Amino acid sequence: MTREELTVWAKANGWQELAGVLCLTKPSAPREAIVRLVFKATVVALEVKKPAGKWEKFGSAAYADILMDEQDERPLGLGFEKIPSFSMLMRENKDRQVFGSFSR
């Protein structure tokens, strides 16, 4: 996958850009990022915020090594499977974007 393909996938699945980084936010605090994708020139890293506020890298991969899992509809190779309740967090962020747009 390319950086652009990952960006399109992320934005279509509830990720939002905060401070120039694609993030998922806390359901109770929609402006506080807790998961982020950090794009570099040749790799992308998946990072999760620890309770103490420090970011921990859960996985990283070269763009060429990331493949889309058609069954789960998420990229393979970044470590998403290591994050408990990742699918639920992504769905809550996506729902907040969709339903939030109706209240504007």
Side-chain angles (χ1 to χ4, degrees):
M1 294 184 79
T2 65
R3 178 181 181 152
E4 291 76 22
E5 290 170 329
L6 282 169
T7 300
V8 168
W9 168 83
K11 287 184 175 183
N13 285 283
W15 295 69
Q16 60 183 312
E17 205 165 322
L18 296 174
V21 179
L22 286 172
C23 302
L24 291 174
T25 60
K26 279 184 168 183
S28 61
R31 290 285 169 219
E32 186 178 339
I34 56 174
V35 178
R36 69 184 182 183
L37 288 174
V38 180
F39 294 101
K40 303 288 184 175
T42 59
V43 299
V44 62
L46 175 67
E47 298 180 350
V48 175
K49 195 175 211 178
K50 301 286 251 175
K54 186 175 180 179
W55 289 98
E56 179 180 336
K57 187 187 307 184
F58 263 63
S60 69
Y63 296 109
D65 295 336
I66 301 170
L67 303 172
M68 181 57 76
D69 180 353
E70 299 300 329
Q71 182 178 348
D72 290 334
E73 298 179 350
R74 65 179 165 194
L76 295 173
L78 285 173
F80 288 115
E81 63 282 352
K82 296 178 189 176
I83 302 173
S85 305
F86 172 74
S87 294
M88 185 175 68
L89 177 64
M90 199 165 64
R91 185 174 43 255
E92 287 173 351
N93 274 259
K94 185 175 181 179
D95 289 348
R96 187 171 47 248
Q97 284 181 347
V98 170
F99 295 119
S101 66
F102 290 119
S103 63
R104 291 183 193 161

